[in-house]
């Protein structure tokens, strides 16, 4: 059986709101509605989400389409960037480049890429260990930790070139039995199952 890792689509950026509390923008919400109206959404048997607002909102769209309830797991959050707070997009992109290029060092107090990778891998593996292997499952989360998870599954080094395309709202698929990535980052509305 297969596992999907789905990233939230575009968010409403507000420098006055903590990043974990940002919700989906109108574009992000529309992308989620359109993507999850595809038949594959009804094939899922479990949805597990990060506790960040944008991930929960994405999971709720998928839950409505699939007829399931979404679970939340605290340790699936995005890499902890609270030490710097909000960064304007140009500075954020430079910081993200540094984060991936120096996986064992902290960018101005951020969680390191290596630590974030260990956390997301442990969280996903813990859930999968108790999951019925005959049932498809979707994880709803974030781009950076999703990339770190995919790097781990692919036995690849941590690097930004394996990141999803800008804007979020992408997914990759891996097999539950052997953890092999069988579909690379794909925009959610383009995936056919």
């Amino acid at each position: 059986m297969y596992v999907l890792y789905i990233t939230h689509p575009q968010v409403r950026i507000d420098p006055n709101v903590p990043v974990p509390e940002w919700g989906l923008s109108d574009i992000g919400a529309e992308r989620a509605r359109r993507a999850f109206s595809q038949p594959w959404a009804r094939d899922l048997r479990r949805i597990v989400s990060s506790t960040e607002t944008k991930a929960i909102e994405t999971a709720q769209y998928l839950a409505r389409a699939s007829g399931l309830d979404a679970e939340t797991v605290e340790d699936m959050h995005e890499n902890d960037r609270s030490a710097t707070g909000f960064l304007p997009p140009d500075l954020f992109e430079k910081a993200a480049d540094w984060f991936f290029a120096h996986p064992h060092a902290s960018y101005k107090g951020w969680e390191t890429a290596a630590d974030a990778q260990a956390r997301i891998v442990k969280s996903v593996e813990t859930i999968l260990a108790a999951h019925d292997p005959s049932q498809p499952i979707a994880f709803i989360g974030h781009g950076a930790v999703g990339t770190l998870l995919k790097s781990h599954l692919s036995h690849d080094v941590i690097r930004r070139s394996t990141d999803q395309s800008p804007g979020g709202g992408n997914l990759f698929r891996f097999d539950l039995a052997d953890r092999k990535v069988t579909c690379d980052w794909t925009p959610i509305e383009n995936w056919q199952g």
Side-chain angles (χ1 to χ4, degrees):
M1 200 43 62
Y2 65 89
V3 180
L4 297 177
Y5 186 91
I6 303 171
T7 64
H8 64 79
Q10 289 88 340
V11 297
R12 183 170 285 112
I13 297 172
D14 184 344
N16 299 312
V17 173
V19 174
E21 296 175 22
W22 287 355
L24 296 179
S25 68
D26 292 342
I27 291 170
E30 177 55 33
R31 286 186 67 206
R33 277 192 295 273
R34 189 170 60 242
F36 302 149
S37 69
Q38 299 291 326
W40 63 263
R42 292 184 292 280
D43 294 337
L44 294 170
R45 294 294 169 258
R46 190 172 179 193
I47 301 167
V48 182
S49 173
S50 156
T51 59
E52 292 189 32
T53 303
K54 51 196 168 271
I56 290 172
E57 289 178 1
T58 304
Q60 288 170 340
Y61 282 110
L62 184 54
R64 281 194 290 275
S66 64
L68 301 170
D69 292 324
E71 306 165 40
T72 57
V73 174
E74 180 68 35
D75 279 348
M76 285 182 50
H77 63 82
E78 183 61 288
N79 62 305
D80 184 352
R81 308 186 301 258
S82 58
T84 59
F86 172 79
L87 293 174
D90 59 328
L91 293 179
F92 173 77
E93 291 302 323
K94 290 177 184 175
D97 287 343
W98 196 97
F99 169 81
F100 281 101
H102 304 90
H104 297 284
S106 173
Y107 177 82
K108 299 184 178 182
W110 284 17
E111 178 182 30
T112 69
D115 288 344
Q117 183 181 57
R119 175 178 48 76
I120 190 66
V121 167
K122 179 180 179 187
S123 183
V124 167
E125 288 295 345
T126 298
I127 292 161
L128 292 178
H131 179 69
D132 179 347
S134 69
Q135 303 295 314
I137 181 173
F139 291 94
I140 310 294
H142 309 277
V145 292
T147 297
L148 297 170
L149 174 64
K150 188 168 80 66
S151 294
H152 169 79
L153 295 168
S154 301
H155 308 286
D156 200 358
V157 297
I158 293 173
R159 54 193 165 101
R160 189 150 195 212
S161 62
T162 62
D163 199 0
Q164 66 175 342
S165 58
N170 294 279
L171 63 77
F172 71 87
R173 174 185 163 156
F174 64 96
D175 287 335
L176 189 54
D178 62 7
R179 306 298 199 259
K180 181 179 180 183
V181 174
T182 55
C183 174
D184 206 342
W185 288 122
T186 302
I188 54 176
E189 61 271 33
N190 293 349
W191 200 64
Q192 300 299 308

